[in-house]
Amino acid sequence: MNQPIVFVSGSKGGVGKSLTAMAVLDYFTAEHRYVRLLEADTTNPDVWKAYRRNVEGEVASLDEIDGWINLVNTCDANPFKAVVVNTPARNNDAVRVHGAILLDALKELARPLITLWVINRQRDSLELLNSYLEAMPGTVVHVVRNGYFGDVSKFELYQSSSMPETIQQRGGKSLFLPDLADRVTDELYSRRITLQEAAQQLKLGDRVELQRWRAS
């Protein structure tokens, strides 16, 4: 089995997709694994701006069919590199229309498709997730509860729904992304630096907070 394709999604803005994508890239690079980034958030390509000096990748739209074809071709040409796709807020629309192109190619690519679905505490996060599950059958989806919106107990809508069981039945997990202090995330985005660079360049207190978060 070749390296995975990792979709970081949520199909809405402000849930923490970019920070989650940075965490995934940070993990792969820290493990010295080959990785490639496809930044599909063409409006706010924050992840690409931070990682373009350190990780191979490009900014490309998945709104049209050509983007999905190019994604498959990129995965085919780089079988030993994990491909991390940071998706835009509107991604579910394109997934419904063009997602089958990727699904139909997975067997020949010999790659698993893993989705990290980032949620806040609002109902539409779950509604959008359900729509994504219907559009991408047979794939593994992990739900990431973003700690920025509170601890695990605050995600009552998700916990009390049937979604955790559905996710588990598909081989996924319910994960928790710890909150990272706003002052640190502000530095990341304003300076356009990677998590590893930030761990070396920020002031001591900020570095300690970032290292705590990275370890979690």
Side-chain angles (χ1 to χ4, degrees):
M1 182 68 71
N2 292 322
Q3 291 297 302
I5 304 165
V6 182
F7 262 54
V8 180
S9 195
S11 206
K12 59 181 292 186
V15 294
K17 296 187 300 297
S18 293
L19 191 59
T20 302
M22 292 175 74
V24 175
L25 291 170
D26 186 56
Y27 167 77
F28 279 122
T29 54
E31 292 289 312
H32 304 289
R33 294 170 63 178
Y34 295 114
V35 62
R36 187 178 183 90
L37 169 66
L38 191 149
E39 174 66 90
D41 190 348
T42 57
T43 303
N44 297 298
D46 293 325
V47 180
W48 180 78
K49 288 179 179 178
Y51 277 83
R52 60 183 173 176
R53 300 178 306 278
N54 303 83
V55 172
E56 288 186 13
E58 60 274 321
V59 179
S61 173
L62 293 181
D63 290 339
E64 306 296 335
I65 191 171
D66 283 352
W68 291 85
I69 294 173
N70 289 334
L71 170 60
V72 170
N73 290 341
T74 295
C75 293
D76 188 38
N78 299 274
F80 301 112
K81 294 179 181 178
V83 176
V84 177
V85 183
N86 185 44
T87 66
R90 59 191 179 279
N91 191 58
N92 262 15
D93 294 335
V95 167
R96 283 193 296 269
V97 178
H98 305 302
I101 294 172
L102 179 58
L103 285 179
D104 292 345
L106 288 177
K107 183 176 181 180
E108 190 168 344
L109 289 172
R111 287 178 180 263
L113 172 61
I114 300 169
T115 299
L116 297 177
W117 190 272
V118 189
I119 65 171
N120 57 18
R121 291 156 48 190
Q122 298 174 355
R123 187 174 301 278
D124 59 346
S125 277
L126 303 186
E127 294 170 347
L128 290 165
L129 171 56
N130 190 60
S131 177
Y132 182 84
L133 293 174
E134 292 176 354
M136 303 297 274
T139 61
V140 174
V141 178
H142 302 299
V143 173
V144 180
R145 294 159 291 182
N146 188 351
Y148 176 81
F149 302 103
D151 60 31
V152 172
S153 66
K154 299 294 185 181
F155 290 81
E156 297 174 355
L157 280 177
Y158 174 73
Q159 294 299 135
S160 62
S161 72
S162 61
M163 193 58 70
E165 183 177 356
T166 299
I167 291 298
Q168 186 175 18
Q169 289 174 349
R170 292 179 56 140
K173 296 181 179 180
S174 298
L175 307 174
F176 183 74
L177 182 71
D179 188 25
L180 178 62
D182 288 344
R183 60 182 293 157
V184 179
T185 56
D186 289 345
E187 287 287 301
L188 291 172
Y189 291 129
S190 64
R191 296 172 60 172
R192 307 297 189 190
I193 55 178
T194 69
L195 296 179
Q196 186 174 14
E197 289 170 336
Q200 298 169 347
Q201 298 175 16
L202 299 185
K203 295 179 180 179
L204 178 57
D206 300 286
R207 296 202 312 268
V208 170
E209 161 65 2
L210 178 60
Q211 291 292 59
R212 175 202 64 82
W213 183 84
R214 290 176 82 198
S216 298

